[in-house]
mmCIF file of all heavy atoms in Angstrom:
data_model
loop_
_atom_site.group_PDB
_atom_site.id
_atom_site.type_symbol
_atom_site.label_atom_id
_atom_site.label_comp_id
_atom_site.label_asym_id
_atom_site.label_seq_id
_atom_site.Cartn_x
_atom_site.Cartn_y
_atom_site.Cartn_z
ATOM 1 N N THR B 64 25.518 83.058 67.283
ATOM 2 C CA THR B 64 24.086 83.243 67.092
ATOM 3 C C THR B 64 23.758 83.254 65.622
ATOM 4 O O THR B 64 24.622 83.561 64.771
ATOM 5 C CB THR B 64 23.603 84.560 67.725
ATOM 6 O OG1 THR B 64 24.235 85.649 67.056
ATOM 7 C CG2 THR B 64 23.903 84.603 69.209
ATOM 8 N N LEU B 65 22.552 82.890 65.302
ATOM 9 C CA LEU B 65 22.098 82.862 63.914
ATOM 10 C C LEU B 65 20.697 83.451 63.838
ATOM 11 O O LEU B 65 19.806 83.009 64.581
ATOM 12 C CB LEU B 65 22.109 81.442 63.363
ATOM 13 C CG LEU B 65 21.630 81.265 61.921
ATOM 14 C CD1 LEU B 65 22.563 81.993 60.947
ATOM 15 C CD2 LEU B 65 21.538 79.788 61.548
ATOM 16 N N ASP B 66 20.521 84.427 62.971
ATOM 17 C CA ASP B 66 19.207 85.025 62.736
ATOM 18 C C ASP B 66 18.894 84.843 61.256
ATOM 19 O O ASP B 66 19.355 85.616 60.420
ATOM 20 C CB ASP B 66 19.227 86.510 63.124
ATOM 21 C CG ASP B 66 17.853 87.164 63.046
ATOM 22 O OD1 ASP B 66 16.993 86.652 62.294
ATOM 23 O OD2 ASP B 66 17.629 88.165 63.729
ATOM 24 N N THR B 67 18.129 83.831 60.957
ATOM 25 C CA THR B 67 17.849 83.536 59.541
ATOM 26 C C THR B 67 16.933 84.568 58.901
ATOM 27 O O THR B 67 16.970 84.746 57.695
ATOM 28 C CB THR B 67 17.234 82.131 59.389
ATOM 29 O OG1 THR B 67 16.091 82.021 60.237
ATOM 30 C CG2 THR B 67 18.250 81.045 59.731
ATOM 31 N N SER B 68 16.140 85.267 59.720
ATOM 32 C CA SER B 68 15.267 86.306 59.148
ATOM 33 C C SER B 68 16.088 87.485 58.656
ATOM 34 O O SER B 68 15.732 88.141 57.680
ATOM 35 C CB SER B 68 14.239 86.754 60.172
ATOM 36 O OG SER B 68 14.866 87.426 61.262
ATOM 37 N N LYS B 69 17.198 87.749 59.322
ATOM 38 C CA LYS B 69 18.081 88.847 58.918
ATOM 39 C C LYS B 69 19.268 88.336 58.097
ATOM 40 O O LYS B 69 20.099 89.124 57.667
ATOM 41 C CB LYS B 69 18.608 89.583 60.156
ATOM 42 C CG LYS B 69 17.536 90.293 60.951
ATOM 43 C CD LYS B 69 18.145 91.031 62.143
ATOM 44 C CE LYS B 69 17.055 91.771 62.924
ATOM 45 N NZ LYS B 69 17.613 92.464 64.121
ATOM 46 N N LYS B 70 19.342 87.015 57.928
ATOM 47 C CA LYS B 70 20.454 86.421 57.197
ATOM 48 C C LYS B 70 21.782 86.893 57.789
ATOM 49 O O LYS B 70 22.658 87.432 57.081
ATOM 50 C CB LYS B 70 20.378 86.704 55.702
ATOM 51 C CG LYS B 70 19.198 86.022 55.011
ATOM 52 C CD LYS B 70 19.244 86.235 53.495
ATOM 53 C CE LYS B 70 18.225 85.370 52.788
ATOM 54 N NZ LYS B 70 16.845 85.575 53.229
ATOM 55 N N SER B 71 21.927 86.686 59.079
ATOM 56 C CA SER B 71 23.155 87.139 59.732
ATOM 57 C C SER B 71 23.509 86.211 60.888
ATOM 58 O O SER B 71 22.649 85.528 61.460
ATOM 59 C CB SER B 71 23.009 88.567 60.237
ATOM 60 O OG SER B 71 22.065 88.630 61.281
ATOM 61 N N SER B 72 24.785 86.226 61.225
ATOM 62 C CA SER B 72 25.313 85.430 62.331
ATOM 63 C C SER B 72 26.365 86.263 63.046
ATOM 64 O O SER B 72 26.992 87.156 62.451
ATOM 65 C CB SER B 72 25.944 84.146 61.807
ATOM 66 O OG SER B 72 26.597 83.446 62.836
ATOM 67 N N SER B 73 26.559 85.977 64.307
ATOM 68 C CA SER B 73 27.629 86.642 65.052
ATOM 69 C C SER B 73 28.439 85.602 65.811
ATOM 70 O O SER B 73 27.912 84.565 66.234
ATOM 71 C CB SER B 73 27.073 87.683 66.018
ATOM 72 O OG SER B 73 26.352 87.042 67.049
ATOM 73 N N LEU B 74 29.729 85.891 65.923
ATOM 74 C CA LEU B 74 30.647 85.071 66.718
ATOM 75 C C LEU B 74 31.174 85.925 67.835
ATOM 76 O O LEU B 74 31.765 86.984 67.591
ATOM 77 C CB LEU B 74 31.797 84.557 65.852
ATOM 78 C CG LEU B 74 32.958 83.874 66.592
ATOM 79 C CD1 LEU B 74 32.482 82.553 67.201
ATOM 80 C CD2 LEU B 74 34.139 83.626 65.645
ATOM 81 N N LEU B 75 30.952 85.492 69.050
ATOM 82 C CA LEU B 75 31.438 86.203 70.236
ATOM 83 C C LEU B 75 32.528 85.357 70.885
ATOM 84 O O LEU B 75 32.310 84.177 71.160
ATOM 85 C CB LEU B 75 30.308 86.441 71.232
ATOM 86 C CG LEU B 75 30.706 86.919 72.624
ATOM 87 C CD1 LEU B 75 31.270 88.333 72.565
ATOM 88 C CD2 LEU B 75 29.510 86.864 73.579
ATOM 89 N N ILE B 76 33.682 85.975 71.105
ATOM 90 C CA ILE B 76 34.751 85.329 71.855
ATOM 91 C C ILE B 76 34.864 86.066 73.166
ATOM 92 O O ILE B 76 35.151 87.276 73.194
ATOM 93 C CB ILE B 76 36.089 85.398 71.106
ATOM 94 C CG1 ILE B 76 35.972 84.759 69.724
ATOM 95 C CG2 ILE B 76 37.189 84.704 71.912
ATOM 96 C CD1 ILE B 76 37.213 84.901 68.863
ATOM 97 N N THR B 77 34.617 85.393 74.266
ATOM 98 C CA THR B 77 34.669 86.042 75.570
ATOM 99 C C THR B 77 36.061 85.943 76.182
ATOM 100 O O THR B 77 36.833 85.022 75.874
ATOM 101 C CB THR B 77 33.649 85.421 76.522
ATOM 102 O OG1 THR B 77 33.969 84.032 76.703
ATOM 103 C CG2 THR B 77 32.241 85.548 75.984
ATOM 104 N N ALA B 78 36.374 86.915 77.024
ATOM 105 C CA ALA B 78 37.658 86.913 77.757
ATOM 106 C C ALA B 78 38.815 86.600 76.826
ATOM 107 O O ALA B 78 39.528 85.607 77.015
ATOM 108 C CB ALA B 78 37.595 85.902 78.895
ATOM 109 N N SER B 79 39.011 87.457 75.842
ATOM 110 C CA SER B 79 39.997 87.179 74.772
ATOM 111 C C SER B 79 41.411 86.999 75.342
ATOM 112 O O SER B 79 41.790 87.564 76.376
ATOM 113 C CB SER B 79 39.970 88.310 73.752
ATOM 114 O OG SER B 79 40.382 89.505 74.355
ATOM 115 N N ARG B 80 42.156 86.216 74.588
ATOM 116 C CA ARG B 80 43.548 85.926 74.927
ATOM 117 C C ARG B 80 44.427 86.237 73.735
ATOM 118 O O ARG B 80 43.965 86.294 72.604
ATOM 119 C CB ARG B 80 43.700 84.433 75.284
ATOM 120 C CG ARG B 80 42.789 83.961 76.378
ATOM 121 C CD ARG B 80 42.802 82.450 76.462
ATOM 122 N NE ARG B 80 41.887 81.939 77.486
ATOM 123 C CZ ARG B 80 41.566 80.663 77.631
ATOM 124 N NH1 ARG B 80 42.078 79.751 76.812
ATOM 125 N NH2 ARG B 80 40.740 80.292 78.591
ATOM 126 N N ALA B 81 45.707 86.397 73.965
ATOM 127 C CA ALA B 81 46.646 86.675 72.874
ATOM 128 C C ALA B 81 46.561 85.601 71.789
ATOM 129 O O ALA B 81 46.666 85.903 70.601
ATOM 130 C CB ALA B 81 48.053 86.783 73.418
ATOM 131 N N ALA B 82 46.321 84.368 72.201
ATOM 132 C CA ALA B 82 46.277 83.266 71.251
ATOM 133 C C ALA B 82 45.048 83.318 70.345
ATOM 134 O O ALA B 82 44.981 82.589 69.353
ATOM 135 C CB ALA B 82 46.286 81.920 71.989
ATOM 136 N N ASP B 83 44.091 84.191 70.662
ATOM 137 C CA ASP B 83 42.918 84.343 69.806
ATOM 138 C C ASP B 83 43.206 85.218 68.587
ATOM 139 O O ASP B 83 42.374 85.319 67.675
ATOM 140 C CB ASP B 83 41.750 84.969 70.586
ATOM 141 C CG ASP B 83 41.256 84.075 71.709
ATOM 142 O OD1 ASP B 83 41.326 82.827 71.552
ATOM 143 O OD2 ASP B 83 40.817 84.616 72.741
ATOM 144 N N THR B 84 44.368 85.858 68.564
ATOM 145 C CA THR B 84 44.751 86.654 67.396
ATOM 146 C C THR B 84 44.786 85.772 66.169
ATOM 147 O O THR B 84 45.541 84.792 66.110
ATOM 148 C CB THR B 84 46.132 87.309 67.619
ATOM 149 O OG1 THR B 84 46.028 88.273 68.665
ATOM 150 C CG2 THR B 84 46.627 87.980 66.354
ATOM 151 N N ALA B 85 43.956 86.106 65.173
ATOM 152 C CA ALA B 85 43.807 85.281 63.977
ATOM 153 C C ALA B 85 42.792 85.950 63.070
ATOM 154 O O ALA B 85 42.226 86.981 63.412
ATOM 155 C CB ALA B 85 43.338 83.865 64.341
ATOM 156 N N SER B 86 42.576 85.362 61.913
ATOM 157 C CA SER B 86 41.467 85.771 61.054
ATOM 158 C C SER B 86 40.335 84.779 61.231
ATOM 159 O O SER B 86 40.569 83.574 61.385
ATOM 160 C CB SER B 86 41.916 85.810 59.592
ATOM 161 O OG SER B 86 42.839 86.841 59.378
ATOM 162 N N TYR B 87 39.128 85.290 61.208
ATOM 163 C CA TYR B 87 37.940 84.469 61.427
ATOM 164 C C TYR B 87 37.031 84.581 60.208
ATOM 165 O O TYR B 87 36.752 85.679 59.723
ATOM 166 C CB TYR B 87 37.221 84.899 62.698
ATOM 167 C CG TYR B 87 38.033 84.617 63.934
ATOM 168 C CD1 TYR B 87 39.024 85.477 64.351
ATOM 169 C CD2 TYR B 87 37.813 83.454 64.665
ATOM 170 C CE1 TYR B 87 39.801 85.213 65.464
ATOM 171 C CE2 TYR B 87 38.570 83.165 65.787
ATOM 172 C CZ TYR B 87 39.574 84.034 66.182
ATOM 173 O OH TYR B 87 40.338 83.764 67.279
ATOM 174 N N PHE B 88 36.595 83.426 59.735
ATOM 175 C CA PHE B 88 35.780 83.361 58.529
ATOM 176 C C PHE B 88 34.447 82.664 58.826
ATOM 177 O O PHE B 88 34.435 81.642 59.515
ATOM 178 C CB PHE B 88 36.481 82.573 57.430
ATOM 179 C CG PHE B 88 37.760 83.185 56.946
ATOM 180 C CD1 PHE B 88 38.960 82.943 57.583
ATOM 181 C CD2 PHE B 88 37.755 84.015 55.825
ATOM 182 C CE1 PHE B 88 40.152 83.519 57.142
ATOM 183 C CE2 PHE B 88 38.933 84.592 55.373
ATOM 184 C CZ PHE B 88 40.121 84.338 56.029
ATOM 185 N N CYS B 89 33.386 83.208 58.257
ATOM 186 C CA CYS B 89 32.150 82.455 58.254
ATOM 187 C C CYS B 89 32.046 81.721 56.919
ATOM 188 O O CYS B 89 32.618 82.139 55.910
ATOM 189 C CB CYS B 89 30.933 83.347 58.471
ATOM 190 S SG CYS B 89 30.567 84.511 57.142
ATOM 191 N N ALA B 90 31.323 80.629 56.936
ATOM 192 C CA ALA B 90 31.147 79.823 55.732
ATOM 193 C C ALA B 90 29.728 79.315 55.707
ATOM 194 O O ALA B 90 29.250 78.742 56.697
ATOM 195 C CB ALA B 90 32.130 78.660 55.698
ATOM 196 N N THR B 91 29.045 79.519 54.607
ATOM 197 C CA THR B 91 27.643 79.111 54.492
ATOM 198 C C THR B 91 27.515 77.898 53.594
ATOM 199 O O THR B 91 28.231 77.752 52.607
ATOM 200 C CB THR B 91 26.788 80.260 53.968
ATOM 201 O OG1 THR B 91 27.349 80.725 52.735
ATOM 202 C CG2 THR B 91 26.702 81.381 54.955
ATOM 203 N N ASP B 92 26.572 77.081 53.957
ATOM 204 C CA ASP B 92 26.315 75.832 53.243
ATOM 205 C C ASP B 92 24.850 75.836 52.819
ATOM 206 O O ASP B 92 23.969 75.917 53.674
ATOM 207 C CB ASP B 92 26.616 74.660 54.183
ATOM 208 C CG ASP B 92 26.132 73.331 53.634
ATOM 209 O OD1 ASP B 92 25.986 73.239 52.398
ATOM 210 O OD2 ASP B 92 25.915 72.409 54.416
#
Side-chain angles (χ1 to χ4, degrees):
Chain B
T64 63
L65 179 64
D66 187 336
T67 53
S68 66
K69 295 181 179 178
K70 292 186 170 57
S71 67
S72 173
S73 67
L74 171 67
L75 169 68
I76 303 174
T77 61
S79 63
R80 304 168 182 170
D83 295 328
T84 293
S86 292
Y87 293 82
F88 296 86
C89 67
T91 54
D92 169 23

